[in-house]
Amino acid sequence: STTRDLFMAALGPSIFGVTLLAGIYVGLVYLGAHYAPLLQGVLPELMLPTVANYAIGNFGNVLIAVTILFSCFTTAVALNNMYARYVC
């Protein structure tokens, strides 16, 4: 059956993606809990760069910037793809 084959083909990558996202969010929660005293009085948008700078040093700021840049690019590509499919 074609529907079952399609479902099975999508199941593995979906589980892999969910696992990666769960790992990322668990890591962010851990960092927030571990560095909570350091984050007192820090603006919410500066919390991740503050933790990165403290944990890794100046390279942490560059790493966070590159990570956010790629994150924005992947979101833009996905949105562009959805819009192109809608237009077609």
Side-chain angles (χ1 to χ4, degrees):
S1 125
T2 307
T3 305
R4 187 177 193 296
D5 293 339
L6 183 62
F7 176 76
M8 293 308 290
L11 186 62
S14 297
I15 291 173
F16 180 70
V18 166
T19 304
L20 283 178
L21 280 175
I24 290 169
Y25 282 117
V26 167
L28 288 173
V29 168
Y30 171 77
L31 286 174
H34 186 71
Y35 291 105
L38 177 71
L39 299 175
Q40 297 297 321
V42 176
L43 294 173
E45 61 270 13
L46 297 177
M47 287 182 177
L48 188 58
T50 301
V51 169
N53 192 20
Y54 184 78
I56 304 173
N58 288 334
F59 178 71
N61 290 333
V62 174
L63 183 65
I64 291 297
V66 170
T67 303
I68 291 173
L69 179 72
F70 281 125
S71 173
C72 291
F73 280 154
T74 57
T75 303
V77 167
L79 289 174
N80 189 22
N81 186 15
M82 288 179 9
Y83 179 72
R85 287 180 185 220
Y86 173 76
V87 170
C88 290

